[in-house]
Amino acid sequence: MIPGKHPYHPSFKRSFLFAQQGFRLAFHQERNIKVMLAGALVGVVVGIVVHFDAISWLIFALCCAVVIAAELLNTAIEKVVDLVSPEFHPLAGQAKDIAAAAVWSMCVIVALIGAGLVLRALGWWG
Ligand SMILES: Nc1ncnc2c1ncn2[C@@H]1O[C@H](COP(=O)(O)OP(=O)(O)OP(=O)(O)O)[C@@H](O)[C@H]1O
């Protein structure tokens, strides 16, 4: 809540609309989100081709959600950094780099999990 502002609790419907607005904004402004959604689509096709079982689909869905949520948080951090430090500052750069590192670490782990799911579906592992 903005300090000094009259307490205002939007309804769940309005909160959801704000979140939807945030997602649309990030989607239009951030190339990475589009790349991640395209990656998820490729994953769905691969999952269909190799016949993921129910557990694999659930793990796949969780991985997609985690990576997209991480990228949305990274985008939010970038916006706050740009707001508080529009000019060059080493700490601003570090904050952005660390937030980006969180996303990339998550992507590496998710890629490994994805490979594991495909190997398992093909009967080559597990
Ligand atoms: N205010 C700043 N002060 C110092 N360095 C900055 C600043 N803003 C950005 N940088 C550096 O430039 C890099 C790119 O910043 P930018 O805001 O363009 O992010 P981006 O390329 O949109 O990131 P992403 O690909 O994760 O969306 C940062 O990771 C940081 O190293």
Side-chain angles (χ1 to χ4, degrees):
M1 194 193 337
I2 298 169
K5 191 171 173 271
H6 180 71
Y8 159 67
H9 299 287
S11 64
F12 280 117
K13 190 178 163 209
R14 275 180 67 80
S15 296
F16 176 70
L17 289 176
F18 290 145
Q20 222 182 10
Q21 189 175 303
F23 188 86
R24 270 206 305 269
L25 201 69
F27 180 80
H28 288 300
Q29 292 181 357
E30 289 297 318
R31 187 202 52 206
N32 287 354
I33 299 230
K34 294 189 187 97
V35 172
M36 283 164 183
L37 289 173
L41 209 60
V42 171
V44 168
V45 173
V46 171
I48 291 169
V49 170
V50 301
H51 301 291
F52 275 178
D53 61 12
I55 292 289
S56 295
W57 279 119
L58 289 176
I59 295 171
F60 172 76
L62 185 65
C63 286
C64 291
V66 164
V67 167
I68 289 168
E71 180 57 27
L72 290 171
L73 286 172
N74 176 41
T75 303
I77 288 169
E78 279 176 10
K79 298 234 173 274
V80 174
V81 169
D82 287 341
L83 177 69
V84 299
S85 177
E87 57 294 311
F88 184 90
H89 192 291
L91 283 178
Q94 285 174 25
K96 285 188 177 187
D97 289 347
I98 292 167
V103 177
W104 282 105
S105 322
M106 207 65 86
C107 287
V108 170
I109 301 287
V110 162
L112 291 174
I113 293 173
L117 292 178
V118 171
L119 292 178
R120 183 171 168 269
L122 294 172
W124 295 351
W125 187 53

